[in-house]
Amino acid sequence: MDFLMYMLPWFGFSLVVSGMMVFVSERKHLLAVLFSLEYIVLGIFMLLSFYLMMMVDLYFCLLFLAVAVCEGALGLSILVSLVRSHGSDYFMNFSVLQC
């Protein structure tokens, strides 16, 4: 039990760092960027739940999880609409000047 309590923050921090590394690196697909954002949100959720579990109740974690689910659903809906309009999820196919 003690080992899990010490390793949970490090695992959450490693999820946030790996998600940021993928997000910052040059990716060609929008889906990879959305996955990296979800890794960041999952890591922040793990860190937040660990620290709030020690200090107060977990109601704020439920609110954060609800916002994270809405963010994921919004990202997937944007991905679906871009694939339908442009044919793929490559970043090079998206143009701001195209009407």
Side-chain angles (χ1 to χ4, degrees):
M1 182 68 179
D2 290 333
F3 179 73
L4 182 64
M5 293 299 284
Y6 289 120
M7 290 306 293
L8 189 65
W10 288 107
F11 184 65
F13 183 70
S14 66
L15 278 176
V16 171
V17 169
S18 64
M20 284 186 186
M21 286 175 51
V22 171
F23 186 74
V24 171
S25 67
E26 291 186 33
R27 292 290 174 180
K28 295 180 182 178
H29 296 283
L30 181 62
L31 188 61
V33 173
L34 290 175
F35 277 144
S36 67
L37 287 175
E38 289 301 319
Y39 270 110
I40 293 170
V41 167
L42 181 66
I44 290 173
F45 174 71
M46 290 180 74
L47 289 172
L48 188 67
S49 64
F50 173 74
Y51 289 120
L52 287 179
M53 185 174 34
M54 295 249 184
M55 296 183 185
V56 254
D57 27 348
L58 297 173
Y59 291 120
F60 186 72
C61 285
L62 290 175
L63 178 68
F64 181 79
L65 192 60
V67 170
V69 167
C70 292
E71 177 258 336
L74 181 65
L76 284 177
S77 66
I78 290 172
L79 175 71
V80 167
S81 67
L82 284 174
V83 167
R84 285 185 181 177
S85 65
H86 290 84
S88 67
D89 67 334
Y90 289 122
F91 278 127
M92 293 189 300
N93 288 345
F94 306 142
S95 176
V96 179
L97 300 175
Q98 184 181 5
C99 293

